[in-house]
Amino acid sequence: ALRQVPVEVDLAQVVRGPMVVTIDDEGETRIRRRFVVSSPVGGRLQRIELEPGDSVTRGQTVVARVQAEAPPLLDARTRAEAEAASASATSLLGQARADEQRATTALELARRELVREQELASGDLTTKQAIDLRESAVLAAEDVVRAATFAVATAAAELQRAEARVAPDRADAGGRILSVLAPIDGVVLRRLRESAAFVPAGEPLIDIGDPRDLEVVSDLLSTDAVRVRPGSTVRLEQWGGNETLTATVRRIEPSGFMKISALGVEEQRVNVLMDFDDRATASTLLGDGYRAEVRIVIWEAEDVV
């Protein structure tokens, strides 16, 4: 009863051995270069039959088919104006061609006059000044012909533009079907559109990527990111398998961003990008958007107390 109460203490043995200091956080895998295939035109999208995980070949696999939207029909007034503009452009084209023919005839006449003057000059029956005048007339006639040719081309273009305004009223209401081909060799990651529907031009339809081109991204606190250097060793754990995967820091992005933590605290985060050391093995074990625990080594030694 008189014995003193013992005091509990923590004991540890002082030894020498390897030591590693790491920054631990959550990471996510992602395909480095992914392609979002969009609709080239507005129209009716046919059902996309490809499933996520299906392989595609660049320039061969049809990933989507879009039936181009038919141009809108013209009302009676607009159609009448377009047809009148087309008739006017046709008349102007005929007038330009007539002017071109008249200029060509004048050029041929000027050339014959020049030949006659040159024949007279061979017999000393005309003057040098007369020959110069005929040559100048030929050059002027050639310029008139070129101007008339340009006028014909302009009138023809105006006629095409006028006919294009009438074309929507004559177009096939169904429109033609455009096939969208795969831009790269890879697999389908996501179908952003599946069922048939009307889509505008530029609407994202499907995600495609190469599963072998896998990387890891982790958003570290900016205070931790400044301690990481490109080339640092990374160990990936808790990804679902028993083995530890290794990677190397490729880049620390120069710009940070604000993120709200689970406790509602505002944090400044910076993305750190990492490449797998064995990319082939990693691509068979992991996919796009998989979670893992990353441990970035910032210091290590083999023999420390």
Side-chain angles (χ1 to χ4, degrees):
L2 300 178
R3 183 181 301 171
Q4 294 183 353
V5 179
V7 179
E8 294 184 356
V9 297
D10 292 332
L11 301 179
Q13 185 177 4
V14 178
V15 296
R16 300 187 66 90
M19 183 175 182
V20 179
V21 179
T22 62
I23 295 177
D24 303 341
D25 209 323
E26 291 187 358
E28 181 180 352
T29 61
R30 70 180 183 185
I31 292 179
R32 185 183 308 177
R33 285 179 284 269
R34 60 196 305 145
F35 291 78
V36 179
V37 180
S38 303
S39 175
V41 296
R44 182 175 180 82
L45 170 70
Q46 297 184 357
R47 182 178 178 85
I48 298 177
E49 300 296 339
L50 291 174
E51 298 283 347
D54 289 348
S55 299
V56 296
T57 303
R58 176 181 180 182
Q60 297 182 12
T61 305
V62 177
V63 298
R65 288 184 173 89
V66 182
Q67 186 176 15
E69 183 180 5
L73 298 178
L74 302 178
D75 57 69
R77 177 179 178 180
T78 304
R79 183 171 59 253
E81 291 178 351
E83 290 175 351
S86 177
S88 177
T90 302
S91 300
L92 292 176
L93 177 59
Q95 180 181 353
R97 286 174 176 169
D99 293 340
E100 182 185 24
Q101 183 62 36
R102 186 164 49 250
T104 302
T105 303
L107 174 60
E108 293 176 354
L109 177 61
R111 287 174 176 172
R112 288 197 298 268
E113 292 291 341
L114 175 60
V115 171
R116 284 195 289 268
E117 287 293 336
Q118 290 175 344
E119 291 175 351
L120 292 175
S122 61
D124 294 333
L125 299 178
T126 186
T127 63
K128 177 64 175 173
Q129 182 179 5
I131 294 178
D132 292 341
L133 290 176
R134 296 300 180 185
E135 291 177 348
S136 178
V138 169
L139 294 176
E142 290 176 347
D143 291 338
V144 173
V145 170
R146 283 194 292 269
T149 302
F150 293 146
V152 169
T154 302
E158 290 293 335
L159 176 59
Q160 291 180 355
R161 184 168 65 177
E163 290 178 343
R165 295 183 59 190
V166 186
D169 201 41
R170 305 171 182 168
D172 181 11
R176 63 192 185 98
I177 296 178
L178 301 178
S179 297
V180 183
L181 302 179
I184 62 168
D185 296 334
V187 299
V188 176
L189 301 178
R190 290 189 304 161
R191 284 186 305 187
L192 305 177
R193 287 277 188 175
E194 179 179 357
S195 301
F198 283 96
V199 295
E203 177 74 11
L205 303 178
I206 196 169
D207 275 1
I208 297 177
D210 187 353
R212 297 168 298 180
D213 190 19
L214 203 62
E215 67 178 4
V216 182
V217 58
S218 178
D219 53 346
L220 302 182
L221 290 171
S222 59
T223 53
D224 291 335
V226 296
R227 303 163 60 191
V228 179
R229 295 290 179 268
S232 299
T233 302
V234 183
R235 299 170 182 172
L236 282 82
E237 302 174 352
Q238 303 297 326
W239 52 269
N242 296 324
E243 58 183 304
T244 298
L245 304 178
T246 59
T248 303
V249 175
R250 185 179 82 249
R251 177 182 302 171
I252 298 95
E253 292 188 350
S255 178
F257 57 91
M258 180 73 70
K259 183 177 181 180
I260 306 299
S261 68
L263 299 177
V265 180
E266 294 183 351
E267 298 175 340
Q268 285 299 124
R269 294 276 178 169
V270 177
N271 282 334
V272 177
L273 308 181
M274 295 153 274
D275 292 331
F276 286 101
D277 294 340
D278 189 354
R279 188 175 298 176
T281 301
S283 62
T284 59
L285 298 175
L286 300 172
D288 181 58
Y290 284 36
R291 175 191 173 278
E293 292 286 342
V294 298
R295 299 180 182 274
I296 304 176
V297 178
I298 60 174
W299 182 87
E300 62 179 333
E302 293 296 331
D303 186 18
V304 295
V305 177

